[in-house]
Amino acid sequence: MPPAEGADVPPTPNSNPNIPPITKSAITAMRHPPPESKESLRLRRYVILSFWAVAIFIGLPIWWKTTAIYRAELPLQIMTDWADGKICRPVFPLRISVEAPTLQLQDAHNLIRATQHALDDLNEFSAHHLRLMLADAPLSAANASQQVVISGGPGDRSDDEDIALSIRLIPIETGTAPRSILQPYAPTLDVYYSPNQIPPPSSTGSPLATFIAHELHKIFAEEQTLLAHLLSTTSNVYTAKMKSLSSETVTELERQSTRTLKYAPTYHLTFSLFSPTFMPSSWEIEAALQQYLSPLLETFSSISNFTVDTQVQLYATFSPSIRQPEYDENLKAWTLRKEDLSGFINAAEWPLSPSIGVSPTVNFILYVPDQSQSPLLVKESGANSWLVPQWGGVLILNPAVTGQSPMTLTKDALTPAMHTFSEQLLSLLGLPQSPASLPLRLSTLKRVRAASLLFSASSTLGALARLTKALKSIPIPDNVAKSVDTAIAHLQQSCSDLRDGRFQGALENARIAETAAEKAFFEKSMVGQVYFPDEHKVAVYLPLLGPVAVPLIMAGMKELKSLRGR
Amino acid sequence: MLSFLALLLFNAFIASASASSDYSEHLLLRPLPQKALLASFNFRSNESSTAFEQQNFRYFPRSLGQILQHAGTKELHLRFSLGRWDAENWGQRPWNGAREGGTGVELWAWVEAQNEEEAFARWLTLTNALSGLFCASLNFIDATKTIRPVMSFPPEGDHQNPSQLHLLHGTLPHEVVCTENLTPFLKLLPCKGKAGISSLLDGHKLFDASWQTMAVDVRPVCEEDGECTLETEQTVDMVLDIDRSKRPRDNPIPRPLPIEEIECDTSKGYSAQDTCYPIHKTSEPAFSLSGIYGRSLKGACPLTDESSENSYTVCINTPPERIIHVNTTGQYAESTSENHAMRCYKLPVGADFDLVLPEQQMTTRLVLAQPPLYAARHINGHGQEHGSVQAVITNPSSTDAVEFVYLESLPWFMKPYIHTLQARVNSSPENPIRETYYRPAVDRQRGTHLELRMVIPAASTLTLTYDFEKAILRYTEYPPDANRGFDAAPAIIRLISPESLDKKGIYLRTTSLLLPLPTPDFSMPYNVIILTSTVIALGFGNIFNLLVRRFVGADEVQGMGPGGLKGIIRGKVERLKARFLTKKKTA
């Protein structure tokens, strides 16, 4: 209704906003309701109050109870402490028994004291220390397994298994002395000395003692480096105390640790024969494994078990992503470029799926190239085998004589492959390179594995604790708490085992702790309901709570206002 | 009768030959009426049981072997099928139906276990592992889809301790079989589809077939002297529509030919130049292996035994007058048998091989063997509550009665009334049911398992009917495509007499059923929440206001004029109007 331009609108009473006409007429017609009795006011208040009471004291708790997420109690502080390394400081006290059947008891004690002194001077790594003990009876190494040694502390008896190394002192009349020989298949160091090198009781140092100390230090040098590196990388508490490692050593250790498989109580080994054609279609793998691999696997049985399976796969082609082999005139061979080695395994086509079961699978691939592309080598190094970190090893087996490649690979033809595979397996399992004695290397591996399991279980617990704190909405079932308790108990056990030098027990406990910690962390029911969208809650609650809450709140506010106004 | 004999002999020939060598493969081609072509691929490998236990796998695929060992499975039968075998036109089924499955996926296995619980646990392990291996939803075979057949599946292999073996059978009729199932299937073969007849298998053509079935069978075979081998048999049977298969991959859509290229029936009268009555051709269509499979046969798989009869890998079953050209650059050999109705070829190694059959007007035709029974099954009735199933089984033989076992595995939500089960034979009033095994369903725990041993007299038709009730499912139990309906597994028929010549038996299967169930509106929960909330809120608001409000006369209300609510609204409108007008005026 647009008013005409300049038209005069007659003033109406309504146009005056200051005096609304309604008020005027209302005042004249007003009739007051009868005053409310005190009784009814109180009654109304009670009604409102009781509604609110029901909502707050019954409704809210029921809602809270029915929608609450169950979270079992976790010892969060202890878990964090474990992860920070505040509870357990792994130490590696190694017992070394000294057999000196020809020496006087007094002389032997003197020698041991002197050697121990020299050893302690040499050692820079306090967590790992060697303790010499005198073997009580002069027994030969052959039946040393029944031997019980008495160490310095009274009543401190332990099994032979905890003796890391025994030193046999053998007097000789001729030849250079002192000299030492480390037994390759027994944890025994033979030290040859001439009788005049026995230190006199009064003196503190002697060339023989220094010699033995240096030898021992040399033997355990790599283990110390490994452990020092492990401790420094996994927990920051130790960093300050560590002896400084050179950067090359660190890089080398890093490289080794990246290629090493994660520790497992059982490994599946899969040996596969791949060929791009139909030849060879069979191999005498059973006999070859029996001869070359079984003895090796048996020696590892105290650390891990192994299952072995084999397969033959024909018509296995390279993946199209890598460059096909090229002929190299200088090498007189077909060559693969080094950067293509990572794509050599045609994961899409070659059936190398992991074996069934929880244990990890280690793959060993024997690739027999086509007649037309033989011999096949790696271009840069001319090598024919390489290791795939944390996965397995590959070997290209070029037929010895160029000509008709056989339908069957004999055991002899497999010998070089088996040697390479054994070395690759040792490397994948993380066996240290030195010392020369295999039992010593195995026991070193045992200690390193125990320590690394200890750290990984602790850090898993720490991660679980952080997760629990960070995500308030995830449920924590009781079995997680149970697993955490198991893990902590076994970590404790493992730590004390380490302190007492029971390394086998430490490894076993650390293994159980690790499994329990992983089980707790990867509990399925914890991830299920992490995400419950808020929109969903609104959609469910609002239609009911909105219409019910509005009259309740309005009535409550009105009553409060009237209370305040009085 | 010519070809029937040929087929029997062919099967027997394969069975006898394969025992000697470790790996063999065979392809049988047979042109069928209506421009169809049956292709039967068979791959068979043996592994000694000692090598199998030591996990030294040569021809046996390692992935499958480890699954079988892990699940304690001694004998395995796995089927992936698609389409319907047209028995009226195509005659007897390949392998007498022993190597085919019902639509979807079918799995049965003999599992070694101490008791039923352990057997079932191992069965679940097996289905889960196979599900990963074959990229199929086999892990959905749970207790509701598993039955333990009593009469239908005798063991095919030679077992050491039959008392500890448990037979479990599961079906997934809804599963769509496709290329992703063929790829792992081919990977199990020693020649991997790179050489030999398996190089013809291509997912595009295989799953475009009118009917196809893929089978994996593992069974232990023991000699008299106790020497045992584990035999793996993989078969692919398909019926291709020749015209459809010949379409090139880059132009798969059928388009009308230009009129010049169509042969018109000149005997008919034409009113215009651009019309044509196409001639119905009676001649056999031309085809070549590479044409219908879209890829060439890359020579023999060299692992087969070169010397024996077994090396004649590709066989074609046509009347002798049919012209066959062999197209290859390599050395091949040909042998004929069954009065020249069966021509077999020894493939060259490393050279492509092709069979070319030109179009030809035939004077003789193969006589296709008559199947021992015809079976059809369908759902009758209407509405969302009840229905009935009718199975019609016909014995075409004019002389012999047929005894068979009829197995139904129904989902739990299809509840049959067993008192309504009726079987009638049109030729005699006698009840044909000899024996009944019935295990009723338990809601959400197991399905119905019904096995009937019945006899059909010669040249008669048996009609089996029963009523069922459709259950109402819970909201979360419906699949995403609930309105499509639910599949009920095909019925399996095993012939008892006439008896089969080998241990495999004679089987046939009906098609699967599509069962429509009442489906809810899936936005229902929110509607329910909102509706009930509104009702509760209404009720609550009323009661609450009744309790806490004070009721006074309308003229006693403060601020309420004599006009009541109407007066208030009028006053507000007037006030607004005034403000609007004054604003206008100032402007």
Side-chain angles (χ1 to χ4, degrees), chain A residues 31 34 44 309-310 313 348, chain B residues 55 66 187 192 550 555:
Chain A
R31 281 209 303 155
R44 184 185 309 147
D309 60 73
T310 68
Q313 293 294 337
Chain B
Q55 304 210 355
Q66 287 191 331
K187 274 191 190 174
K192 307 236 179 336
R550 187 180 173 209
D555 54 346

Side-chain angles (χ1 to χ4, degrees), chain A residues 1-3 7-9 14-15 20 22 25-26 29-36 44 47-48 51 268 270 272 278 281-283 285-286 289 308-317 347-357 361 363 407 536 539-540 543-544 547-549 551-552 555-556 558, chain B residues 51 54-63 66-68 70 125 129 187 189-192 194-195 300-303 349 526 529-530 532-534 536-538 540-541 543-545 547-550 552 555-562 567-568 570-572 574-575 577-578 580-582 584-585 587:
Chain A
M1 36 168 191
D8 217 357
V9 178
N14 285 353
S15 64
I22 293 168
S25 58
M30 195 65 173
R31 281 209 303 155
H32 288 280
E36 238 181 336
R44 184 185 309 147
V47 169
I48 294 171
F51 267 102
H268 290 298
T270 300
S272 314
F278 59 92
S281 70
S282 65
W283 54 343
I285 185 69
E286 203 186 319
L289 287 177
V308 180
D309 60 73
T310 68
Q311 62 173 342
V312 180
Q313 293 294 337
L314 309 174
Y315 292 100
T317 49
E349 299 239 334
W350 298 6
L352 290 167
S353 52
S355 300
I356 295 189
T361 305
N363 285 286
M407 281 304 276
H536 190 93
V540 172
L544 178 64
V548 171
L552 265 181
K558 206 170 170 188
Chain B
Q54 288 178 344
Q55 304 210 355
N56 291 325
F57 301 111
R58 189 172 169 224
Y59 291 131
F60 202 96
R62 166 177 162 261
S63 42
Q66 287 191 331
I67 289 171
L68 296 188
H70 192 71
T125 316
K187 274 191 190 174
L189 296 171
C191 281
K192 307 236 179 336
K194 303 271 173 61
C301 175
L303 302 175
V349 175
Y526 289 100
I529 288 172
I530 288 171
T532 45
S533 300
T534 310
I536 290 174
L538 267 177
F540 174 81
I543 292 168
F544 184 76
N545 283 336
L547 284 173
V548 302
R549 289 275 160 109
R550 187 180 173 209
V552 294
D555 54 346
E556 292 172 352
V557 181
Q558 262 186 348
M560 177 85 83
I568 291 178
R570 193 181 291 148
K572 287 213 165 148
E574 301 237 307
R575 205 187 294 177
K577 213 189 260 180
F580 182 73
L581 284 178
T582 46
K584 274 279 173 206
K585 216 160 86 176

Side-chain angles (χ1 to χ4, degrees), chain B residues 454-473:
Chain B
M454 297 190 276
V455 176
I456 312 186
S460 1
T461 298
L462 185 150
T463 314
L464 180 80
T465 56
Y466 57 86
D467 294 351
F468 64 88
E469 189 190 271
K470 298 172 182 177
I472 292 179
L473 300 186

Side-chain angles (χ1 to χ4, degrees), chain B residues 46-78:
Chain B
N46 289 325
E47 189 87 60
S48 80
S49 53
T50 46
F52 179 76
E53 311 249 296
Q54 288 178 344
Q55 304 210 355
N56 291 325
F57 301 111
R58 189 172 169 224
Y59 291 131
F60 202 96
R62 166 177 162 261
S63 42
L64 185 61
Q66 287 191 331
I67 289 171
L68 296 188
Q69 286 183 352
H70 192 71
T73 307
K74 296 295 165 196
E75 188 180 318
L76 173 86
H77 304 274
L78 177 61

Side-chain angles (χ1 to χ4, degrees), chain B residues 5-21 24-28 42 44 95 305 307-316 335-338 342-346 501-502 504:
Chain B
L5 194 71
L7 180 69
L8 278 184
L9 282 170
F10 181 75
N11 286 352
F13 155 73
I14 288 179
S16 66
S18 64
S20 57
S21 75
S24 65
E25 54 181 37
H26 289 278
L27 167 62
L28 171 70
N42 177 272
R44 199 187 286 246
W95 316 102
D305 197 354
S307 52
S308 73
E309 294 257 307
N310 230 353
S311 58
Y312 288 87
T313 310
V314 177
C315 290
I316 183 159
S335 79
T336 55
S337 54
E338 330 302 340
M342 183 79 91
R343 275 170 272 187
C344 291
Y345 299 91
K346 186 172 177 174
L501 295 174
D502 52 12
K504 290 175 187 165

